[in-house]
Amino acid sequence: MPRLFTSLIAAGLLSIAPAFAQDRPVVVELYTSQGCSSCPPADEMFAELSKRDDVIALALHVDYWDYIGWQDPFGAPEHAKRQRAYALTGGRTSIYTPEMIVNGQSDVVGAKPMKLMEAINKHKEDAPQVDLSIARDGETLRINAHTVSGAAGPFDVHMLRYHPMAVTQVKRGENAGHTFENYNIVEGWQTVDQWDGQAPLSLSAAITGDMPVVVLVQRSNAGPIVAAARIK
């Protein structure tokens, strides 16, 4: 699909967000790299997606393309490790960029806006399993959750921060000479608890700075994301 056509579709579809507040946003993880020549169309599509309030869009830059000649300043081996865990859970034998994972379950290869929208809309209909709320009090984040509809754990509780936007001039590698605007760039991903789901969850985590914070409740071993919350 021509790049311009892909961009027009992305702008027309992905920027259309509902006017009402979303209690259960859908999580889209983009695995990308500034050293990957096929990633810019997906990055552009993701930029539109990052504007939506009903979606938590998270860009996880990987480091496995750094050897080509450009070291992605946002790449982290932990991101590739998470992508490999998804591949193992999904029965896939390889990892690649660009790839989008929707709610920890559906994978979309490359820049395919229609397929991505289908996955997002599908997961909007997921039955609620966990009720999650977060609140910030100075440098402390309060996290509270309980299961609903008879759901059971175990769950991993993740916390992360992201940079809303950064501009990078790529000087080497496959994308040499290009200037990239990357959005919702993840850093500081950590697992703050492993929760069996039996008793309500109540915990605190230390946070500093003014970057947005996201909390995800996900079935262990790279399973479905069952709840997500964000403070911008």
Side-chain angles (χ1 to χ4, degrees), residues 177-221:
H178 292 274
T179 298
F180 288 153
E181 291 185 358
N182 293 121
Y183 291 81
N184 291 16
I185 306 159
V186 168
E187 76 167 37
W189 190 299
Q190 57 182 306
T191 302
V192 294
D193 197 21
Q194 293 181 319
W195 176 42
D196 62 13
Q198 295 181 11
L201 175 72
S202 180
L203 58 91
S204 300
I207 57 173
T208 59
D210 58 1
M211 286 196 301
V213 58
V214 174
V215 173
L216 308 176
V217 179
Q218 182 169 21
R219 290 200 174 276
S220 297
N221 299 316

Side-chain angles (χ1 to χ4, degrees), residues 87-167:
L88 181 63
T89 298
R92 298 184 292 276
T93 58
S94 61
I95 59 175
Y96 45 82
T97 56
E99 179 186 27
M100 296 191 194
I101 303 290
V102 184
N103 262 19
Q105 299 174 72
S106 304
D107 68 305
V108 178
V109 182
K112 298 179 180 177
M114 295 299 292
K115 186 174 180 180
L116 178 59
M117 286 303 302
E118 288 175 1
I120 290 172
N121 290 332
K122 170 188 172 184
H123 288 293
K124 283 179 178 291
E125 303 301 321
D126 289 347
Q129 298 184 52
V130 169
D131 185 14
L132 170 68
S133 64
I134 62 175
R136 182 168 185 172
D137 181 11
E139 296 188 349
T140 300
L141 185 70
R142 311 289 184 189
I143 304 170
N144 292 279
H146 64 268
T147 58
V148 297
S149 304
F155 303 104
D156 295 328
V157 182
H158 303 287
M159 183 180 75
L160 59 104
R161 315 296 294 275
Y162 66 79
H163 298 278
M165 196 272 280
V167 178

